[in-house]
Amino acid sequence: MGGSWWSARPTCTGTMLTSSVFTGLSWNPVDDVHALFTYPFMQHALAAGTIVAVMAGVIGWFMVLRRQTFAGHTLSLTAFTGASAAVLAGVPIVLGYFTVCGLGALALAGASGPRRSQGTESAATGSIQAFALGLGFLFVSLYHGVLNGLDSLLFGTFLGITSSQVLVLLVVAVVAIALVAVAARPLLFASVDPDVARASGVRVQLLGLGFLLVLGLSVAETSQITGALLVFALLVTPAATAQRLTTRPLAGVVLSVALALLVTWLGLALAYFSVYPVGFYITSLSFALYVLARVFA
Amino acid sequence: MLAQEFMRNALVAGSFVAIACGLVGWFVVLRAQVFAGDALSHVAFTGALAAAALGIDIRAGLFLATILGGVVMGALGDRARADDVVIGTLFAWTLGLGVLFLTIFTTNGSGSNGTAGVRVLFGSIFGLSTTDVRISVVLAVAAVAVLAVLGRPLLFASLDGAVAAAQGVPVRMIGLVFLGLVGLVAAQATQAVGALLLLGLLAAPAGAAHRLTGRPYLGLGLSALFAVGSVWLGLTLSYVFPTLPPSTMIISTAVGIYVTAMSLSPLRRLVG
């Protein structure tokens, strides 16, 4: 008992390592770029990565502005719970992602409030996060066959993305970005100065809940590509870099999207030509950009 | 239940880990540094896997990474309280590194070692050896001793940093040492409940205590009590129902206590 369930695990993780089945980098960059677009799985991966990066760049900028990194991280971990619950229940994983991330957003909104102290609020967030992960682990251990998939749930895979998945991603991204675009002005106001915003009639509370829901939506979407543990890299790092470089909202959002796109494309390309996982490249590239921005700006 | 050696090991180690987590967690919640604890738990994952990839003792990597991580986080922030965005950016990258080490480890390691990632992430309290137990007892006692020495100035610095600094309390230094201590406790808890779940043991019992009372000593006591209770109840549940993983049960109990405390928080006026 206790632990015996995972000792029966077959050999090492397959999904993350197969990225090197194709030929390595040649000396001809044109050939390399051509090779990148040859296979349908890679075309899907690039399309999905692009959609996810644009969305994470926009939503992440607001998340960093609102100092909701902890909430965002907690939501991104609930994605793991959603996926494992869906696998256990035998329903499409996408359904699990969106349902559980939505529930997580509601729970987080309930835990935060204008009258709560920072300490108790963060304790509540931390408790929600640990509970969600514990549940996820329970689902995984109840479902004995998923073990090989555990790594890809947590750390993502860009292989095997279907064109229908890309379509779902696109629809969700358009909806989320449209919602944020509609609410952009009051959201910006409420994020920068909630007290003044409330005094001038902006419904700060409602906006906060709405934003958490959109954040949950985008996290659910992003984690399908990057895995639950690495969503955060696309959400927080490009946005944080952008906010160090400019304080103007529109320029900041555009820059954040551009940076997210850059690291996603480069990360996918590097992962394609090497044995190491895409998550490592995306996090390292975005972190390098952040350090550069801190040093030079 | 107590006749089984693995169960005795789990209960002893779990209790000491819980006491350390409960006490340190109370200060973590007081200082609103739960996110730093969250980051440290991920640093623990990377540290352990780096050690695994390099082929050295996992514990060495674990403790080195978390204590170092705590100190770095303390050094980066103003007044030893790192900015959430800085923490987030740092540990997003740390996780990426962890994935790299996991890949290196699973590529080089034999199939039987393929579970290391899962063990680090979700703990293996039933797999602790007698040596592990001894280490966790010693470390828990050390952590509590440091906290006992640090307690009063730490409380002062946490409640009102400016006044404490004016009175000559080395606020920044205390913050650094405290984050290092959180790192130590995080590494210890990783062995019991895993890197991903230790936040529950740090935040939930302490959060419950803060809901129930504002008095420091009573709160610290309650927090440790809740943490130990969660470990005991969680282990028992997992023993009775073998399909339920122990770490999930421990965390669920802790969160259950937190939710109960939240609904009871009107009682706070009675307790003080």
Side-chain angles (χ1 to χ4, degrees):
Chain A
M1 69 156 295
S4 59
W5 61 270
W6 43 255
S7 51
R9 188 179 187 203
T11 47
C12 62
T13 56
T15 39
M16 299 194 330
L17 308 175
T18 38
S19 53
S20 59
V21 284
F22 303 98
T23 48
L25 209 56
S26 72
W27 287 107
N28 185 342
V30 181
D31 278 357
D32 287 337
V33 173
H34 183 70
L36 211 52
F37 292 104
T38 310
Y39 297 96
F41 85 87
M42 204 57 206
Q43 293 164 359
H44 291 157
L46 283 167
T50 306
I51 297 167
V52 162
V54 171
M55 183 167 172
V58 175
I59 314 278
W61 189 85
F62 280 98
M63 184 186 83
V64 170
L65 182 72
R66 296 171 63 83
R67 307 275 141 179
Q68 286 190 316
T69 36
F70 192 24
H73 182 237
T74 299
L75 273 179
S76 71
L77 293 175
T78 61
F80 166 66
T81 316
S84 52
V87 169
L88 184 68
V91 297
I93 286 192
V94 183
L95 198 66
Y97 275 130
F98 288 121
T99 316
V100 176
C101 286
L103 287 176
L106 289 177
L108 284 175
S112 67
R115 285 167 289 114
R116 298 275 156 75
S117 80
Q118 228 189 345
T120 26
E121 187 180 327
S122 68
T125 310
S127 305
I128 292 171
Q129 178 188 120
F131 185 56
L133 281 169
L135 273 185
F137 183 53
L138 175 69
F139 297 146
V140 168
S141 51
L142 288 178
Y143 183 83
H144 292 263
V146 80
L147 287 179
N148 252 341
L150 180 61
D151 284 334
S152 62
L153 285 187
L154 287 171
F155 303 116
T157 171
F158 65 102
L159 299 166
I161 297 166
T162 60
S163 46
S164 62
Q165 258 177 309
V166 174
L167 198 67
V168 173
L169 288 180
L170 186 64
V171 172
V172 171
V174 168
V175 170
I177 292 176
L179 281 174
V180 169
V182 169
R185 285 189 69 86
L187 184 62
L188 197 62
F189 194 9
S191 308
V192 173
D193 198 333
D195 291 332
V196 177
R198 193 175 296 118
S200 40
V202 176
R203 303 180 68 180
V204 176
Q205 200 72 357
L206 191 71
L207 271 175
L209 174 66
F211 180 72
L212 274 175
L213 281 171
V214 171
L215 188 60
L217 203 67
S218 82
V219 157
E221 163 144 325
T222 313
S223 55
Q224 294 172 49
I225 312 299
T226 58
L229 285 184
L230 300 177
V231 180
F232 205 52
L234 271 184
L235 270 175
V236 74
T237 319
T241 315
Q243 293 199 355
R244 279 210 81 90
L245 294 176
T246 173
T247 48
R248 284 162 52 205
L250 193 63
V253 172
V254 170
L255 190 59
S256 167
V257 169
L259 290 169
L261 276 175
L262 181 72
V263 296
T264 309
W265 285 340
L266 273 176
L268 280 169
L270 285 168
Y272 177 83
F273 289 113
S274 75
V275 293
Y276 298 118
V278 63
F280 164 66
Y281 289 115
I282 291 183
T283 50
S284 298
L285 287 169
S286 46
F287 183 68
L289 288 175
Y290 177 74
V291 171
L292 282 179
R294 266 196 88 107
V295 172
F296 292 109
Chain B
M1 185 169 113
L2 292 173
Q4 310 271 9
E5 202 202 342
F6 74 86
M7 199 66 204
R8 281 201 306 272
N9 283 347
L11 276 172
V12 174
S15 307
F16 278 91
V17 167
I19 291 173
C21 275
L23 295 179
V24 171
W26 190 84
F27 281 104
V28 170
V29 173
L30 179 71
R31 296 166 66 84
Q33 287 185 320
V34 182
F35 190 49
D38 182 19
L40 281 177
S41 70
H42 291 78
V43 171
F45 167 70
T46 302
L49 282 176
L54 293 171
I56 56 175
D57 192 308
I58 286 191
R59 275 178 302 225
L62 199 60
F63 284 102
L64 207 67
T66 50
I67 295 173
L68 210 70
V71 174
V72 166
M73 249 186 288
L76 270 176
D78 303 327
R79 297 193 306 123
R81 274 187 210 199
D83 183 0
D84 272 9
V85 176
V86 178
I87 299 179
T89 315
L90 250 180
F91 89 81
W93 178 58
T94 316
L95 267 179
L97 274 184
V99 181
L100 173 72
F101 291 131
L102 180 66
T103 315
I104 294 177
F105 178 63
T106 43
T107 338
N108 297 339
S110 62
S112 62
N113 281 335
T115 56
V118 181
R119 288 177 59 155
V120 171
L121 285 173
F122 295 108
S124 54
I125 195 164
F126 284 152
L128 294 179
S129 69
T130 323
T131 328
D132 292 332
V133 176
R134 269 192 214 121
I135 292 177
S136 62
V137 171
V138 170
L139 286 176
V141 170
V144 173
V146 172
L147 209 56
V149 175
L150 210 63
R152 287 189 66 87
L154 178 62
L155 191 64
F156 193 12
S158 309
L159 290 175
D160 198 330
V163 175
Q167 297 256 330
V169 177
V171 175
R172 212 185 143 80
M173 194 61 217
I174 286 180
L176 271 179
V177 174
F178 178 68
L179 276 175
L181 190 66
V182 177
L184 178 82
V185 173
Q188 204 194 5
T190 303
Q191 295 182 305
V193 290
L196 287 185
L197 300 184
L198 71 89
L199 190 63
L201 219 44
L202 270 181
H210 275 280
R211 290 265 173 175
L212 291 177
T213 175
R215 284 156 59 190
Y217 291 109
L218 187 62
L220 280 165
L222 274 180
S223 176
L225 191 74
F226 289 154
V228 173
S230 316
V231 169
W232 285 354
L233 196 62
L235 285 175
T236 313
L237 282 173
S238 179
Y239 184 79
V240 177
F241 306 103
T243 42
L244 303 175
S247 34
T248 306
M249 289 301 107
I250 293 173
I251 297 307
S252 306
T253 314
V255 173
I257 290 173
Y258 180 71
V259 171
T260 315
M262 222 164 84
S263 49
L264 286 180
S265 52
L267 270 184
R268 181 178 169 153
R269 270 171 237 119
L270 298 179
V271 190

